[in-house]
Amino acid sequence: MGLDGGTIISRNDVLRRSCADLNNADTSRSTRGGAIRGVHKRRQLDAKTAKVTQWSTCALSGERLAAPIVACFLGRLYSKAAVLELLLARAGRFADEAAEHRFLNQLRTAGDAYDHITSLHDVFTLQYEPAAAEAGAAAPVAASSAEGGADPELPAPYTCPITQLRCDRHPFAALRPCGHVFSERALKALASGGGSAGSTGAATCPTCVTAYSTADDVVALFPEGQELEHLSALFTQHQEASASSAMAGGGVALSRASALNIADYEGRLTWYVMIVALIASAGGLLFGYDIGITGGVESMAPFNEKFFPEVAAAPPSTDPYCKYNDQKLQVFTSILFLAGMFSSFFAGYVTRHFGRKMTMTIGGLWFLAGAGLNAGARHLWMLIIGRLFLGFGVGFANQVVPLYLSEMAPFKYRGGLNMLFQLAVTVGIIVAQLINWGVYGTNKWDEGWRLSLGLAGVPAVILLLGGLLLPESPNSLVERGHVERARTILERLRGTSRVDAELADIREASDAANKFTLRDSWRIMFTRPYSPMLVVTAMIAMLQQWTGINAIMFYVPVIFSSLGTGAEGALLNTVIIGAVNVVSTFVSILSVDKFGRKFLFIEGGIQMIAAQITTGVVLAIEFPKYNNVLPTHVSIGVLIVICVFVAGFAWSWGPLGWLVPSEIQTLEPRAAGMSVAVTINFLFSFVVGQCFLNMLCTMKWGVFIFFAGWVCLMTLFVAFFLPETKGVPVERIHVRFAKHWFWRKWMGPAAQEIIDRDATRTASRKAAQLETAAHPAPPPTAGPAVA
């Protein structure tokens, strides 16, 4: 810092604890643009002065720290404005002549002391404000005057909010994720005493409960001696590694700021990606085929005579609503979801540690075994065990396939390709319904149910082959240390060799995820900054089942048989509903990234409410009028209204019930968050499937009004509590929740900290873009010709 006509204190003086000798500085200029005159003697700062001064002075500009204040990994403090000015100056952008002089002065006096700051991602925002100067002094720097001049009063030392230790007498550290500052003694006490840190290396800030790694996210402020030398050596190694990486890759190493900018992602939607996605989506076929086949098989008289004789022997006078009310029949239907719920826990571990391909292979084997056992069943226990095996296969497939599709798809097409899973589910449903109609609805084949159940092995074989032949996802390979294989596959998926930005993001996300064990994810998920995503995930997963869709898709042949349309008519109606389901899913794929998630949720909810209330009212009025057997025209009307309901679900709660929970999971609790979504979905699928026939018998037409009430509640929940996620990158979802009117209050002070960190990231991207524009990569030079 140049003081015109007075003492010269360079930008690095505070850290060096002495002023520079500027005997040859007569023609230079001060950091404020004024001329430096005269010869200035070297002056030493005493230890106390330097200690307090460095906590109130920007190490870059030499002026008093001004909010927002940032720190680098070497433990120095800066005004953010000074860092931004430095980054823009390196890119050749100066606000005025004085700014250019300040930059030139810094190069002369500090040398390469600030080369480690290449973007705003090399610093982090502190939740710290320098104390006001004692006795009203305004000067930011105090020194003992060699000429006997009076010194200004020092600022009051910063004290730790936990231990009340002073910064000028004890070492302090900052937490990178949140920026709070504590004494090192306080952090060590918390770690050793089990307060907020555990043995896993993960902990939460005692002030804002933000998660951080005790190994990587604690930055010592103003380190000295060997600690400072160690940090400097690490920085030198980092520079050499970056240079080597750039030379080996034939290009320029990307900074974190540029890599985090989605605009840097290159590539297109290739045929290879489409083929991979179509084969992998066979996991959805498993689920859909089982949903579609079960209800049709249960409406076949030969099947009921063999395994459920009480249902087959029900007298004609039985209440049509109660014709299929049998506990064993409900167990056969719903046991699959219970098995899927338990298998999803193991599937998550296999997916992370052994890869996506292994998980798909295991899921295909389970489903293939279940299909074979059901097709050859001679006793009810064989059917139940076969259904358990099918549930294990569905649990593994539902865990891995949406994740695999999202990792393989280009960013711009991730939403649509992710919905291929839901599309495959609907295709599986209609294929199963067509098979049921063919084997029994038209041919009355007594053993046709065996073919219906056995053909479930076809999608299982497709998924099994996919697990053996498809490439592993780049994310999984990076997680397990196979970076070069990940690059090769990513280049093939994107159709270009320019995948550095996306690969850098994958590596960074993997490094960050490895800091947190599954236990850490579960613990973090219940803290205030992350609990809004948990609440929304759990509510959407649960409420999706209380639309009644699974009950209707499972039992729609049973419902129409109960209404007197006969087995053939019931199966044909089921096929029509399945076709509407498939077409409506295409509508969702084409419109989700155009109209947004909330619009489809709300529109679909209103449509389902109207359809279910209409169905309940029509059955309440018309069913008794025609002696519990609906005439053709009324049955057609009921069929149309149920199709309207299915269409509303298929372009809203059907695909979005899986898409939105996967989108809103932040990095730290992602593993636990997806486990919550799958577990709750399967749990309530089991509950609804187990209870529906009892509810139909007890509530009769009122069961449709019951589900309509739930849809009304869930539509209001989405309207008021779900932030829109259309076009929002995963890393900024947390910001959307922090800005939401309700979740902002729920998260407390952590919400503003999340918003501030996002603002820092945005500014860093802009600075990195300016730096890249000012210093473009040189074109590759051709080597010598080879004879």
Side-chain angles (χ1 to χ4, degrees), residues 25-48:
D26 293 304
T27 58
S28 66
R29 301 185 67 86
S30 74
T31 55
R32 293 182 301 178
I36 297 177
R37 300 181 299 275
V39 178
H40 304 277
K41 299 179 181 180
R42 184 179 184 87
R43 297 171 50 193
Q44 297 291 332
L45 300 179
D46 62 84
K48 181 181 178 182

Side-chain angles (χ1 to χ4, degrees), residues 546-715:
W546 288 109
T547 60
I549 186 64
N550 273 358
I552 290 176
M553 296 306 294
F554 265 120
Y555 296 116
V556 72
V558 172
I559 293 172
F560 280 106
S561 293
S562 301
L563 299 181
T565 61
E568 181 179 353
L571 292 174
L572 180 59
N573 290 345
T574 303
V575 171
I576 296 172
I577 291 173
V580 171
N581 194 19
V582 173
V583 173
S584 301
T585 303
F586 273 109
V587 174
S588 180
I589 292 174
L590 297 174
S591 60
V592 66
D593 290 323
K594 181 178 181 181
F595 297 109
R597 281 62 163 160
K598 288 188 68 171
F599 174 82
L600 292 180
F601 265 132
I602 295 172
E603 191 283 330
I606 294 173
Q607 186 172 324
M608 288 190 288
I609 293 170
Q612 287 182 318
I613 292 176
T614 302
T615 301
V617 171
V618 169
L619 293 180
I621 296 175
E622 299 295 329
F623 209 51
K625 184 187 298 184
Y626 295 100
N627 196 24
N628 293 339
V629 178
L630 291 180
T632 302
H633 69 280
V634 177
S635 296
I636 292 174
V638 172
L639 173 64
I640 293 174
V641 175
I642 291 181
C643 285
V644 171
F645 166 79
V646 170
F649 176 85
W651 60 51
S652 62
W653 280 88
L656 298 181
W658 291 102
L659 176 63
V660 171
S662 68
E663 284 185 329
I664 64 176
Q665 303 304 320
T666 56
L667 183 65
E668 296 86 351
R670 182 171 298 170
M674 287 309 299
S675 294
V676 166
V678 174
T679 300
I680 291 181
N681 193 283
F682 275 128
L683 175 62
F684 282 94
S685 294
F686 170 77
V687 171
V688 175
Q690 185 68 18
C691 299
F692 179 73
L693 292 179
N694 294 111
M695 294 168 60
L696 184 64
C697 180
T698 304
M699 302 172 69
K700 298 179 172 54
W701 55 269
V703 72
F704 294 97
I705 308 299
F706 172 80
F707 284 127
W710 275 102
V711 177
C712 183
L713 289 176
M714 64 183 68
T715 302

Side-chain angles (χ1 to χ4, degrees), residues 310-633:
E310 296 85 356
V311 175
S317 60
T318 302
D319 186 343
Y321 287 109
C322 302
K323 180 179 179 180
Y324 291 91
N325 184 22
D326 182 82
Q327 190 61 40
K328 291 186 292 184
L329 187 66
Q330 291 182 130
V331 169
F332 167 74
T333 301
S334 58
I335 195 68
L336 175 140
F337 297 106
L338 202 60
M341 182 182 70
F342 283 107
S343 68
S344 64
F345 296 114
F346 302 99
Y349 180 86
V350 174
T351 299
R352 181 169 185 176
H353 291 86
F354 298 98
R356 286 43 162 169
K357 282 163 59 72
M358 178 64 73
T359 311
M360 286 192 286
T361 301
I362 294 174
L365 287 173
W366 275 118
F367 208 85
L368 190 60
L373 195 57
N374 276 351
R378 298 293 178 183
H379 306 283
L380 180 60
W381 66 266
M382 297 177 70
L383 277 182
I384 299 300
I385 293 178
R387 292 286 290 175
L388 284 173
F389 287 178
L390 292 175
F392 293 150
V394 167
F396 273 81
N398 282 20
Q399 177 81 17
V400 70
V401 171
L403 176 65
Y404 183 80
L405 290 174
S406 65
E407 291 176 346
M408 302 297 274
F411 176 83
K412 294 180 181 179
Y413 307 98
R414 191 162 293 160
L417 287 183
N418 206 318
M419 284 192 175
L420 280 179
F421 179 78
Q422 180 65 25
L423 178 63
V425 172
T426 61
V427 171
I429 290 173
I430 191 172
V431 168
Q433 292 164 342
L434 285 169
I435 291 172
N436 280 337
W437 184 50
V439 300
Y440 192 75
T442 58
N443 297 321
K444 299 294 182 183
W445 182 18
D446 288 347
E447 296 292 314
W449 59 270
R450 294 190 183 275
L451 179 63
S452 295
L453 295 177
L455 285 177
V458 175
V461 170
I462 296 175
L463 184 64
L464 179 60
L465 292 176
L468 297 174
L469 302 177
L470 292 179
E472 185 59 272
S473 80
N475 303 63
S476 178
L477 290 171
V478 170
E479 282 178 359
R480 292 178 287 138
H482 307 297
V483 178
E484 289 307 313
R485 284 180 56 196
R487 174 184 288 276
T488 301
I489 291 175
L490 193 60
E491 289 176 353
R492 189 175 182 188
L493 290 169
R494 303 295 178 256
T496 177
S497 60
R498 300 173 65 87
V499 296
D500 299 88
E502 187 170 0
L503 185 62
D505 273 358
I506 293 173
R507 295 184 66 175
E508 183 177 350
S510 176
D511 292 340
N514 288 335
K515 298 178 183 178
F516 299 94
T517 64
L518 186 59
R519 180 180 298 179
D520 295 329
S521 294
W522 280 100
R523 180 179 53 79
I524 291 168
M525 186 170 58
F526 288 95
T527 59
R528 275 195 174 269
Y530 298 95
S531 56
M533 286 72 75
L534 169 65
V535 173
V536 172
T537 295
M539 291 296 291
I540 289 178
M542 179 190 74
L543 294 174
Q544 186 191 49
Q545 298 311 310
W546 288 109
T547 60
I549 186 64
N550 273 358
I552 290 176
M553 296 306 294
F554 265 120
Y555 296 116
V556 72
V558 172
I559 293 172
F560 280 106
S561 293
S562 301
L563 299 181
T565 61
E568 181 179 353
L571 292 174
L572 180 59
N573 290 345
T574 303
V575 171
I576 296 172
I577 291 173
V580 171
N581 194 19
V582 173
V583 173
S584 301
T585 303
F586 273 109
V587 174
S588 180
I589 292 174
L590 297 174
S591 60
V592 66
D593 290 323
K594 181 178 181 181
F595 297 109
R597 281 62 163 160
K598 288 188 68 171
F599 174 82
L600 292 180
F601 265 132
I602 295 172
E603 191 283 330
I606 294 173
Q607 186 172 324
M608 288 190 288
I609 293 170
Q612 287 182 318
I613 292 176
T614 302
T615 301
V617 171
V618 169
L619 293 180
I621 296 175
E622 299 295 329
F623 209 51
K625 184 187 298 184
Y626 295 100
N627 196 24
N628 293 339
V629 178
L630 291 180
T632 302
H633 69 280

Side-chain angles (χ1 to χ4, degrees), residues 87-110:
L87 296 175
L88 292 173
R90 286 179 179 167
R93 307 294 181 90
F94 301 101
D96 50 33
E97 184 181 0
E100 183 174 2
H101 287 304
R102 280 194 296 270
F103 179 64
L104 295 176
N105 263 353
Q106 186 232 326
L107 292 180
R108 186 190 69 233
T109 60

